[in-house]
Structures are given as structure tokens and as C-alpha cells.
Amino acid sequence: MSDSSLRKRRKDDSPPSSNKRTSESFKPKSSQNPNLLNMILIAIALAALLVYKAPETFNKLYNLVNPPPQWKSTPRGFVADFSADVEKRNAVVEAFKHAWLAYERDAMGDDEYHPIKHKGSNLTSAGGIGYTVVDSIDTMIIMGLDEEYKRAKHWIEHKLSFDRDANFNTFETTIRVLGGLLSAYQLTNDEMFLDRAKELGDRILPVFDTPSGLPLSMVNLGKRTGVSDVDNRGFVSTAEASTLQLEFKYLALLTDEEAYWEKAEKVMKVIKDGHLNTGLASIFMNPEDGRFVLSAIRLGSRGDSYYEYLLKQYIQTDQAESVYRDMYDDAMNGVHAHLIQKSPRTRMTYTSELIPERTPTGEISWRLTPKQDHLVCFFGGSLMLGAVTTGAVTQPVSIPPQPSELTDQGKRDWTAGRELVETCMKTHDTATGLSPEIVHFRIPTDGIDDAVAPGDCRLTTYNVEISNRPGAPPPYDARYILRPETVESLFLAFRLTGDPRYREYGWSIFQAIEKHCRIASGGYASVLNVDSVPVTHEDKMETFLMSETLKYLYLLFDDVNTLPLSKYVFNTEAHPFPIFHPTIRTGFS
Ligand SMILES: *[C@@H]1O[C@H](CO)[C@@H](O)[C@H](O)[C@H]1NC(C)=O
């Protein structure tokens, strides 16, 4: 399996080395009116009494009239309309059919699809594991595509085999295939899906049999053995180890087999025991001793869904497992303290990476790098979801939440989340309207020639530097590979605010995909350089186009009562699972 086929893994990963302030100043107006003066004195006395008797209430009231400086409320002046935008929703369904029917015509059952060559391919020579079919089937169910669903289901029932003597990525197989089977089961109650899910779960389970309990990166599905990743010295990426829990815990709930739960949960204990004093996690861990390996810290590849699943594990079990809330809150404090930045000129919110370096004396220093993967664009919506969950004073909050309904941390995360969504939209301001895999932000010390990125950069209104330009920092990656992360955030942002701007944003991205990625004979292809038209295609339709990008776009335009966030949590591959109350108690704290 080529590295480029991995969703959250990237070629540029070098193997690891072992181990606002818009505060308006408050100007009291002096008053000459004695009545008013009396009233003010009485008010002050009452306020003092309130502070003394009920400090909590006072704080709430105080925040209401005088919100902390980091709070920026959602702009007013829009009318929230939560009903379906039928025309746009139907356009997304048409796109899905354009993708699926071409795949079905040319490559039915193959793991991956190349729409320009009209061919499929498998991840390994041992044969396919239903990567595309299983990943896409719940989107068909949600979109009401009954005929397509029946044919896909028939294939899963009669043709799908996991008896493949070859190595598959543990994480990708879990989120796409196990996740797809579980959500198909939950949406249809068809036992066949659960049987297949259980079979796959049993084949994957041996990966957890390591000294530490951390999973190995690869699994031989035919031999039912875990396999360590020689390319990365046997280390497992933190995001991959910590993005199996939603799937295995839901499988445990459905089958009453606690082993699935315990093995997935153990990973979280090992991570917590790794003593992340900043709340941030390096991107590699050692399955032998369960320790973090000295490696980068980032919200992009190999780090991303660690933070996503801390929050989502807390949500999945109906906010009953406080340990995940604590871990999430710590992590968000670390993210704000170390990774979230503002661009110097236009004050855009973005996230940096921390790269460890050894000084000549052998000490470790961390270098802040203003590089943001497209993958990080999940984080805007995730911060907003976290703000109304762990950052809420009471639940449910209003849509959009009022300042009084959120804690200071909730307000901080809500604001940063909204700003990050805006930044991600700005990365779409390219010749195609698509955003690149990686964006570099200008910083004063970046040494980039202003002729290459003049002022705020060539895309003149802001500091985004697309990394393919000569003189721009490496790595070279201006592709758009049909990724979902920005539309995922738009979906969450729309559900949590009702602000029509998010539907407009989603529509503009959808139109850019239609214009530049759609292949006339069927299917969609990646684009090699988002800032060059006409585009050059890369002949690959990633499975997450049908499982995530088009699903989130559909849900963005559908009625909000479809898969409401109060009842569902989406795995990192956009497969919806139900929120449930756990019968198993958390085994660590
Ligand atoms: C993928 O694997 C399946 C199952 O073994 C096989 O039928 C199909 O021909 C393979 N596809 C390609 C392109 O090799």
C-alpha cells in the first residue's frame, strides 16, 4: 500500500528520532443627575450583596453584560433556517451518483478507483477488503439511494472477504471498513453488517497484544496477527493508536464482548500515563514500552484525530466518562498555549507545529513551524463542538450559544473554532477555489522572498503561502485530493450556529469540486496544483470523497433533524454512531 493512499499519513513524515484582544475600554460616564446617582448607588450595593451571597450568579451576570475579551459572539442579523435546501442537497446526491456509478461500472469491489484509466486497484495483491464499497454504503442509506444500496449490500454479503494474507493499516481499516459496517448496521438493523463487523473486529484485535497494549500499526487480516511498521522503526502514530476507540467500544456495546472495549480503552490509559504535562501529544509512540517517542507535535497528520477522539469518546458515552473530558480540556489548554497563532498582518488564526531539535549540548528545543495541513481544518468545527460540550455551563446550549451559556474556556474555544473555519475558507482563495494539502503562513522570520509572496503573499489579502512556489518552504504539496475536513467543520458550524454563511461556504467548495475534479466520463479525480488552471488531475478518487466529503455536504444542506448531533457522533471517517450510556465503567482515571 502506497503511503499516499493513507488518509492521515504523509510522505513528508521523516521517521522519528527515538525518543485578542479587541477590548473596548470601559469609560464610565459621570452623571450630574442626582436620581441617577442614587440608582447607581443602590445598584452598586445590590451588586456587592450579590457578589457576597451568590458569586456564581454574579459572575454569570457580569459576563453577560461584560463578556471576557476573547468572546466574539456570532454575528447577528441572519435568520437561521434549519430546513433542507433541497436543490443543493439534490445536487450533492447527483454528484455522489456520478462518483459511485462510475466506480461500480469500472471497478466494483476493488479497494480503490482510478476514474481516468477507468480501473480499480487493491491495497494489496492478496485481494480487496471492500475499502470503497463499505466506506460508501452508509452515505447511500442516508441519501436514500435504495437501488445503489441494495447492490452494495449484495456485494458485501456475497463477495466481501477479509481472509487476505497481507498487511493492512490498522487505523485505516478500522475507521473506514469497521466503521462503515457498524454505521450500516446502526442505520438498517441488518444483522449481516454486524456479523461482518464482528469478524473484522476479531481479525484486528490481535494488534493490541503488545507489551504496552498500544496497537501495532499493521494487521495481517488473513493470519490474524499484528505487524509492526518497519518504515517507522516499529513505532505507532499517536493518532492511529487513539482513533480506534469509538469503533471498538460501539462493537463491544453491540456484541456484549468487553474485550473490544478494554483493549481500546487501555490505549487511552497508556497515553494518559505518558504524562503529557502540556496536554499535547507527540506524533509517535513505542508499543514496546508505551512511551512517547521524541517527535513532532501537531494537529495535522498523525496527531489530528487524537484530539478529535478525546472529545468524541466523551460524547459517545453520553458524557459519562469524565477522564476524557479532563484529557480533552488539558489538550485544548496546551493547544491554545503552544499551537494556535495569529498571522502578523491580517490576524488570521491558524495552527503551527512544534518540531523537536537537539541543541549542540544535547538538549531538546522545540521549533515552531507555521505549517498547517488541510487535515487540521477538522479542528475548527471540533473546537466549536467541544465548546458547547465541555465548555458549556448548562446543556443544551442555544443555537448559536450565548456567552452566558459557556465557560471562559468554552468561549475561548468557540471563538478560536469560528476563526479557524474562516482561515480554512481563506485557503480556498486559489485559482481553482480548492485548498491545498499544506499551507504555510508568513512569519517575520520565515526568510521567504517577498517577490515570491509579496506583502501578505501573492494571494494578496492574507498570509497564506501555498507551498509549491519557488522559494517557498518545503514540502511541495499543492494538491487537493478530495479531502473532507473543511466541509466537516462547515457542517458542524452550521448545526451549532444556524448561520447561513456556512451553507454558502460549502456550496462554493462543492462548485469548485464540480468544476475542477469531476471527470466527464464518471468519477472525480484529485488535482495536482490548486493554484493552476486548467488543472492537471491525479488519477485517483479517494474513498473519503463518497464516505465523508459528499456526506458532510449532503448533511450541510439537509434538514438538521437528519442525524442530530444530540444523538449521534461521527467517527473520523464520517460514519455516524449512536450516543449511548455505558454499562462498562471506565477502567482508569
Ligand atoms: C481486487 O481483489 C478482488 C478480490 O480478490 C479481485 O476479484 C479483483 O480482481 C482485484 N482487483 C484488481 C484490480 O486486481
Side-chain angles (χ1 to χ4, degrees):
M1 167 180 203
S2 72
D3 217 23
S4 64
S5 67
L6 294 178
R7 172 162 177 260
K8 313 254 165 169
R9 298 178 66 195
R10 308 189 36 75
K11 283 195 181 108
D12 61 281
D13 280 326
S14 41
S17 59
S18 63
N19 243 24
K20 160 182 340 255
R21 309 274 143 176
T22 51
S23 58
E24 281 168 27
S25 52
F26 176 66
K27 294 191 194 110
K29 284 190 189 131
S30 61
S31 170
Q32 309 301 333
N33 184 330
N35 278 339
L36 194 59
L37 198 65
N38 279 342
M39 280 168 66
I40 289 171
L41 285 174
I42 291 168
I44 289 171
L46 282 174
L49 192 69
L50 193 63
V51 176
Y52 179 72
K53 287 281 188 195
E56 287 279 295
T57 316
F58 172 76
N59 278 336
K60 275 186 211 161
L61 287 173
Y62 177 81
N63 285 341
L64 202 63
V65 292
N66 192 3
Q70 72 268 32
W71 172 255
K72 277 199 287 176
S73 66
T74 305
R76 301 280 124 194
F78 64 78
V79 182
D81 178 359
F82 292 110
S83 61
D85 184 330
V86 176
E87 205 178 304
K88 294 191 170 73
R89 188 188 69 185
N90 290 351
V92 178
V93 175
E94 194 280 329
F96 181 89
K97 287 173 78 169
H98 186 75
W100 170 260
L101 294 175
Y103 164 79
E104 198 179 15
R105 176 192 68 205
D106 298 338
M108 182 61 186
D110 293 346
D111 286 333
E112 298 190 299
Y113 181 43
H114 310 282
I116 298 171
K117 282 197 231 73
H118 299 276
K119 276 166 80 168
S121 62
N122 290 323
L123 296 170
T124 76
S125 55
I129 56 165
Y131 222 49
T132 295
V133 180
V134 179
D135 210 9
S136 311
I137 194 167
D138 66 353
T139 309
M140 299 172 203
I141 300 166
I142 292 164
M143 290 182 173
L145 294 172
D146 296 341
E147 293 305 313
E148 288 78 4
Y149 163 71
K150 274 184 209 152
R151 298 194 298 270
K153 182 190 151 198
H154 185 270
W155 186 89
I156 292 172
E157 192 165 7
H158 300 285
K159 302 269 174 64
L160 174 63
S161 171
F162 296 128
D163 193 10
R164 306 284 186 216
D165 182 2
N167 300 339
F168 297 88
N169 180 280
T170 301
F171 155 77
E172 300 287 357
T173 308
T174 300
I175 65 168
R176 301 193 203 207
V177 188
L178 182 57
L181 290 167
L182 288 170
S183 73
Y185 172 69
Q186 103 89 25
L187 293 167
T188 62
N189 274 319
D190 189 319
E191 294 286 331
M192 185 274 292
F193 294 117
L194 182 56
D195 291 344
R196 301 315 302 262
K198 189 172 177 331
E199 182 202 337
L200 180 59
D202 290 339
R203 288 176 186 271
I204 296 174
L205 212 57
V207 300
F208 295 102
D209 296 337
T210 60
S212 66
L214 291 180
L216 294 175
S217 295
M218 312 287 285
V219 56
N220 184 314
L221 292 177
K223 291 205 177 104
R224 299 170 187 255
T225 52
V227 178
S228 59
D229 178 5
V230 286
D231 289 346
N232 284 301
R233 304 176 53 182
F235 300 143
V236 62
S237 87
T238 306
E240 295 190 13
S242 60
T243 311
L244 311 165
Q245 285 67 23
L246 255 52
E247 294 78 4
F248 278 96
K249 285 175 160 186
Y250 184 36
L251 185 61
L253 176 86
L254 295 174
T255 59
D256 271 330
E257 287 198 24
E258 295 191 6
Y260 300 130
W261 186 290
E262 283 158 7
K263 289 185 188 229
E265 184 185 81
K266 175 77 191 297
V267 175
M268 302 312 297
K269 178 179 179 343
V270 173
I271 291 177
K272 185 152 191 285
D273 291 348
H275 297 299
L276 300 165
N277 47 21
T278 59
L280 298 174
S282 289
I283 58 172
F284 281 101
M285 300 188 78
N286 186 344
E288 287 297 312
D289 61 13
R291 291 168 63 168
F292 280 96
V293 175
L294 183 62
S295 49
I297 290 176
R298 61 174 173 236
L299 291 156
S301 67
R302 300 184 186 277
D304 50 5
S305 50
Y306 165 65
Y307 304 95
E308 177 187 353
Y309 267 34
L310 286 181
L311 176 63
K312 287 185 172 175
Q313 285 180 82
Y314 182 59
I315 293 175
Q316 181 184 30
T317 47
D318 204 16
Q319 307 187 22
E321 297 181 281
S322 59
V323 64
Y324 298 117
R325 178 199 179 112
D326 296 343
M327 288 174 79
Y328 177 76
D329 287 345
D330 278 355
M332 291 307 103
N333 288 338
V335 165
H336 281 278
H338 301 287
L339 301 182
I340 291 188
Q341 309 291 328
K342 290 264 188 197
S343 67
R345 292 166 178 143
T346 50
R347 313 295 297 158
M348 271 191 297
T349 296
Y350 68 95
T351 68
S352 279
E353 302 187 355
L354 283 168
I355 313 292
E357 287 172 345
R358 290 240 182 236
T359 63
T361 54
E363 277 155 45
I364 296 158
S365 72
W366 293 88
R367 183 166 50 87
L368 201 61
T369 310
K371 161 178 173 272
Q372 182 175 292
D373 293 350
H374 180 96
L375 290 167
V376 178
C377 288
F378 86 93
F379 191 55
S382 182
L383 275 170
M384 293 171 80
L385 184 64
V388 302
T389 310
T390 76
V393 177
T394 52
Q395 293 184 51
V397 299
S398 314
I399 299 174
Q402 299 304 300
S404 59
E405 294 170 327
L406 301 182
T407 64
D408 284 354
Q409 284 179 7
K411 289 192 254 284
R412 175 198 68 185
D413 290 356
W414 177 262
T415 301
R418 287 189 52 234
E419 290 173 352
L420 196 55
V421 172
E422 294 297 324
T423 304
C424 286
M425 285 312 299
K426 286 188 180 143
T427 69
H428 284 261
D429 194 1
T430 59
T432 55
L434 300 167
S435 74
E437 270 288 273
I438 295 175
V439 172
H440 284 271
F441 291 81
R442 298 295 310 276
I443 52 173
T445 55
D446 59 16
I448 298 174
D449 188 349
D450 266 8
V452 175
D456 275 356
C457 88
R458 184 187 79 65
L459 311 166
T460 48
T461 52
Y462 55 94
N463 298 29
V464 178
E465 167 58 14
I466 295 170
S467 56
N468 68 313
R469 299 207 171 87
Y476 181 103
D477 203 339
R479 293 176 303 155
Y480 173 65
I481 62 166
L482 307 169
R483 284 201 190 275
E485 283 72 18
T486 303
V487 293
E488 171 181 349
S489 277
L490 295 176
F491 157 71
L492 289 170
F494 180 72
R495 287 284 178 100
L496 299 175
T497 61
D499 188 338
R501 77 163 67 195
Y502 297 117
R503 277 185 167 172
E504 286 158 24
Y505 290 165
W507 185 241
S508 69
I509 293 175
F510 177 71
Q511 285 178 304
I513 293 172
E514 287 291 290
K515 187 162 177 204
H516 298 291
C517 305
R518 187 176 171 110
I519 305 298
S521 58
Y524 291 79
S526 306
V527 160
L528 274 179
N529 183 346
V530 294
D531 216 20
S532 153
V533 280
V535 297
T536 308
H537 286 124
E538 185 177 32
D539 190 11
K540 186 162 186 192
M541 185 171 97
E542 292 276 359
T543 75
F544 44 69
L545 171 75
M546 290 195 285
S547 71
E548 298 191 74
T549 311
L550 296 177
K551 186 189 285 151
Y552 281 129
L553 281 166
Y554 177 88
L555 291 172
L556 175 64
F557 296 116
D558 199 14
D559 187 293
V560 296
N561 294 315
T562 306
L563 302 172
L565 295 176
S566 57
K567 297 203 171 79
Y568 292 89
V569 61
F570 290 79
N571 91 336
T572 195
E573 188 74 3
H575 297 302
F577 299 160
I579 292 169
F580 60 88
H581 203 82
T583 49
I584 303 174
R585 286 183 64 179
T586 322
F588 72 111
S589 56

